[in-house]
Amino acid sequence: MAAGDNLIRCGFCGHEFVEEQGNVGCKNCPMSSGCKMIKCPRCNYENPPEPALVKGIKKLLRR
Ligand SMILES: [Zn+2]
């Protein structure tokens, strides 16, 4: 796994996947650019995107 990948944990099934994978799953979304939901590749649950603040905190914890 490349450094800098954003791991998303599905809020429904707990499956962890890279943010890019989830975004690919949303290509069928009618809102071509407006939809920011990240779909779980396993169960198709749409996870809300993480706020930048949360990502920053995660980076600090990851050290
Ligand atoms: Zn899921």
Side-chain angles (χ1 to χ4, degrees):
M1 201 173 294
D5 279 347
N6 292 315
L7 266 185
I8 305 291
R9 175 173 288 189
C10 174
F12 186 77
C13 73
H15 179 57
E16 284 187 332
F17 57 97
V18 184
E19 191 177 307
E20 284 178 9
Q21 280 184 301
N23 288 336
V24 169
C26 200
K27 268 186 180 172
N28 293 330
C29 183
M31 291 183 284
S32 53
S33 61
C35 179
K36 286 173 183 168
M37 301 297 273
I38 302 162
K39 260 194 181 179
C40 171
R42 186 195 263 176
C43 72
N44 281 344
Y45 175 79
E46 288 185 332
N47 294 277
E50 285 190 326
L53 182 66
V54 175
K55 281 181 183 172
I57 292 170
K58 272 191 178 176
K59 270 184 191 171
L60 287 177
L61 291 175
R62 201 170 282 176
R63 273 193 302 183

